[in-house]
Amino acid sequence: MSNKQVDIGFLEEKCSWLLHPRFFPSKVGGKPAWLDLKNLPEPGGLTCKTCKEPLIFLCQVYAPFEESNDCFHRTIFIFICRKGSCCKINSAENFIILRCQLPRKNEYYSFEPYEENENEVFPMEKWAKMCNVCGLKAPSHCSKCKKVNYCSREHQILDWKKEHKTICPDLQEKSEPRLNCFTVTESGKSILFEEWEVDVDKEDEEEITVVDTNQELEKLKKMIEDEKVGTMSNIPDSEIEQYARSSSADKVYNRFSKRIARHPDQVLRYDRGGTPLWITENTVNNISIPKCQYCNGDRQFEFQIMPQLLNFINVGIELNSIDWGVLAIYTCKASCNDGPAYKEEFIIKQDLTNETM
Ligand SMILES: [Zn+2]
Ligand SMILES: [Zn+2]
Ligand SMILES: [Zn+2]
Ligand SMILES: [Zn+2]
């Protein structure tokens, strides 16, 4: 068993302007702080496979590969369908993961880090048009003022109803372009997740107790054997197997809860090349991780998003809202440069289902 140290992430309140792309943030909610500002993913590729509506930005993790020049800046983005009805148990169909990377010397950002100056001019509009509502690439605009852009008809209608109907006449009068497309608008607030910075730190080492899973499994096996000899002898094997499976799933769950109890508010565990801390044992054993579709190389586990994040982003507590146990993100081991600027990566969503609770 590994007790290698992992990095864990917590949410911190932060002024939105400090989460601007030029500061290379790890963040949750608001609009995506794109890394490559010109070659944004097409909005058609960021729609829900089930309901076909635009996906909403959930979070991004800034994770450079120090050993590679191409990955001096490197960010993984997670998008999700806002609708609870598109969220199925142990299926990640309502998600899309994108990886983007840039060398230190690039056409968007200065070689040296930016100072934290709120009034610094950094016109992102110069590179690409972004949706006034959600921040995705925006191929269309308001035909009246021509000053605000939209990824989709859905978001144009939403913005018109919430806000734009009243400000469009004013914008038509003005000659200068409208700047600061990174700011969350009123209509954005109605569908985007609450914005937070993700602050990443080392997990406390001293309290790590290595759980001897083998010993636990042996105990479990013995228990089942004993019971099989006794009162359970009439029960078909398949049922005993079921029992064994759910009991060992409880062990995984216990281990999960013990490990996170040290930092109950963690929303991210970063352990590149490591293994995810699963919430339950079933479901993930037979999922194979597909090879990178760009370089055909292997993928490895990089980080996981914890269910605690759901407590911070206003998803609602009604039965039919979006939910997950663990979101495990797998990325190209070589972090290759092939393919588009935003490369799709792989995600496993594991839920704590009723049968294991
Ligand atoms: Zn959907
Ligand atoms: Zn949009
Ligand atoms: Zn307008
Ligand atoms: Zn690759």
Side-chain angles (χ1 to χ4, degrees):
M1 295 281 351
S2 106
N3 62 349
K4 193 182 122 203
Q5 210 173 7
V6 305
D7 289 334
I8 50 180
F10 302 94
L11 298 184
E12 296 274 349
E13 276 182 58
K14 196 99 174 192
C15 299
S16 191
W17 68 268
L18 282 165
L19 300 172
H20 187 274
R22 70 182 184 279
F23 301 121
F24 310 107
S26 291
K27 71 173 205 112
V28 165
K31 291 179 177 175
W34 299 112
L35 183 58
D36 184 316
L37 298 176
K38 189 168 61 185
N39 306 297
L40 301 185
E42 292 302 323
L46 281 173
T47 51
C48 175
K49 293 177 190 88
T50 308
C51 72
K52 315 288 180 221
E53 286 201 18
L55 297 182
I56 298 298
F57 170 72
L58 177 65
C59 64
Q60 63 187 76
V61 176
Y62 181 67
F65 276 18
E66 275 149 23
E67 69 274 21
S68 159
N69 282 336
D70 293 331
C71 304
F72 185 86
H73 298 298
R74 180 174 173 280
T75 303
I76 312 294
F77 299 82
I78 305 183
F79 294 86
I80 184 175
C81 177
R82 202 45 163 114
K83 284 192 198 153
S85 51
C86 295
C87 182
K88 314 251 159 56
I89 285 183
N90 292 323
S91 154
E93 277 234 315
N94 53 333
F95 285 88
I96 287 186
I97 312 303
L98 297 174
R99 166 171 61 88
C100 183
Q101 58 202 33
L102 288 174
R104 184 168 184 181
K105 211 174 162 191
N106 61 73
E107 57 183 311
Y108 311 112
Y109 308 102
S110 64
F111 192 76
E112 298 299 333
Y114 288 87
E115 277 177 33
E116 293 190 351
N117 173 4
E118 187 175 1
N119 300 315
E120 178 160 350
V121 180
F122 192 102
M124 290 209 289
E125 297 74 8
K126 179 172 129 193
W127 304 107
K129 294 189 166 71
M130 293 164 213
C131 178
N132 197 42
V133 178
C134 72
L136 296 192
K137 183 175 176 177
S140 56
H141 57 256
C142 171
S143 57
K144 295 192 177 73
C145 66
K146 300 186 175 61
K147 294 215 170 64
V148 286
N149 305 298
Y150 299 104
C151 71
S152 61
R153 187 142 175 82
E154 284 98 328
H155 286 179
Q156 183 167 6
I157 293 167
L158 177 72
D159 197 34
W160 183 258
K161 285 191 201 147
K162 287 262 174 198
E163 189 178 32
H164 194 65
K165 187 166 45 178
T166 51
I167 54 175
C168 185
D170 281 352
L171 288 173
Q172 290 174 41
E173 311 268 296
K174 288 179 186 150
S175 56
E176 72 270 22
R178 196 158 170 265
L179 292 179
N180 210 358
C181 55
F182 186 62
T183 311
V184 174
T185 57
E186 279 308 309
S187 50
K189 273 182 203 150
S190 68
I191 54 164
L192 297 179
F193 296 108
E194 202 174 322
E195 193 172 45
W196 299 85
E197 181 190 42
V198 181
D199 207 12
V200 182
D201 215 338
K202 295 254 173 280
E203 183 180 43
D204 281 346
E205 216 167 0
E206 56 205 46
E207 290 164 80
I208 292 183
T209 46
V210 182
V211 181
D212 190 339
T213 332
N214 282 334
Q215 204 183 324
E216 294 292 335
L217 276 176
E218 282 307 312
K219 249 195 259 168
L220 180 72
K221 261 191 221 152
K222 194 168 177 328
M223 217 167 73
I224 294 164
E225 274 164 23
D226 289 352
E227 282 177 59
K228 207 174 174 181
V229 176
T231 54
M232 285 168 88
S233 55
N234 297 328
I235 298 169
D237 278 3
S238 61
E239 262 181 54
I240 292 171
E241 220 168 64
Q242 185 104 29
Y243 166 78
R245 242 187 283 130
S246 68
S247 303
S248 65
D250 284 347
K251 305 274 186 230
V252 176
Y253 180 69
N254 281 341
R255 183 163 169 268
F256 178 87
S257 354
K258 250 188 217 160
R259 186 85 188 244
I260 63 169
R262 270 176 255 154
H263 304 284
D265 282 343
Q266 61 187 280
V267 297
L268 164 81
R269 297 179 67 83
Y270 189 94
D271 188 14
R272 181 182 154 198
T275 47
L277 181 62
W278 297 115
I279 196 164
T280 177
E281 195 185 55
N282 55 7
T283 69
V284 288
N285 292 335
N286 41 21
I287 294 178
S288 67
I289 311 299
K291 294 213 183 261
C292 171
Q293 65 263 50
Y294 307 104
C295 71
N296 208 31
D298 286 336
R299 280 201 173 94
Q300 66 182 358
F301 171 69
E302 184 165 354
F303 64 86
Q304 72 187 78
I305 300 295
M306 307 298 279
Q308 287 93 317
L309 180 59
L310 290 158
N311 302 333
F312 294 91
I313 53 170
N314 302 337
V315 290
I317 48 161
E318 62 271 26
L319 256 174
N320 206 15
S321 51
I322 50 170
D323 195 17
W324 62 77
V326 162
L327 301 177
I329 311 299
Y330 294 79
T331 55
C332 173
K333 207 168 175 176
S335 206
C336 66
N337 247 340
D338 307 338
Y342 287 85
K343 303 168 222 303
E344 208 171 327
E345 295 286 11
F346 187 70
I347 175 174
I348 294 176
K349 169 167 153 297
Q350 192 193 43
D351 289 294
L352 190 61
T353 55
N354 289 334
E355 72 163 311
T356 59
M357 271 166 89

